[in-house]
Structure formats: C-alpha cells, structure tokens
C-alpha cells in the first residue's frame, strides 16, 4: 500500500497508531505515516472497522474499553 503522501508527495511508511476516545481505546491500527510531514493516513477499510467499533462503543455494546486490531 505505501505510496506517496497526499499532503507533500514524500514517501510514506507503514506504521501503527492508536485512537482514544472517552469510551474506547483502539490500539495497533495499521496506517501509513509520511516521513516528511508526519501526515497519518488510515485505509478506508480500516477506517470502516474503526467507525463500527466507535458506533458499538457509543451504544454500550462493547464489553471492553480497549480493542487491539
Ligand atoms: Zn507528507
């Protein structure tokens, strides 16, 4: 998946990130980071999974406050 940064056109590399909200913490999320400007990008497919998790967390359907992807 690595290609170029949409912000500055520099090279990007694969990394992992964490998203934390009041309700839930999602760890080990695959993403790409630009080596120049640090722009973080999460793939659409992954973002959809995150959205689902956040949605379920908001409805109180998750038993855990921490999810590792
Ligand atoms: Zn960049």
């Amino acid at each position: 998946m690595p290609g170029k940064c949409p912000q500055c056109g520099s090279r990007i590399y694969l990394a992992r990130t964490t998203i934390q909200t009041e309700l839930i913490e999602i760890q080990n999320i695959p993403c790409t980071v630009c080596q120049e400007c640090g722009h973080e990008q999460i793939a659409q497919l992954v973002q959809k999974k995150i959205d689902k998790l956040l949605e379920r967390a908001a409805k109180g359907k998750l038993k855990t406050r921490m999810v590792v992807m």
Side-chain angles (χ1 to χ4, degrees), residues 4-12 33-40:
K4 282 181 178 176
C5 173
Q7 302 264 77
C8 69
S10 296
R11 284 176 75 181
I12 55 174
V33 181
C34 172
Q35 63 182 11
E36 281 298 321
C37 71
H39 179 70
E40 234 174 52

Side-chain angles (χ1 to χ4, degrees), residues 31-50:
C31 67
T32 58
V33 181
C34 172
Q35 63 182 11
E36 281 298 321
C37 71
H39 179 70
E40 234 174 52
Q41 245 193 327
I42 295 173
Q44 240 174 31
L45 202 77
V46 177
Q47 186 62 55
K48 274 185 186 167
K49 283 186 193 171
I50 294 167

Side-chain angles (χ1 to χ4, degrees), residues 24-26 46-59 62 67-69:
I24 190 174
E25 181 176 334
I26 308 169
V46 177
Q47 186 62 55
K48 274 185 186 167
K49 283 186 193 171
I50 294 167
D51 289 345
K52 278 239 171 74
L53 283 170
L54 294 177
E55 205 176 290
R56 287 174 65 197
K59 289 176 182 168
L62 284 183
V67 177
V68 179
M69 290 191 88

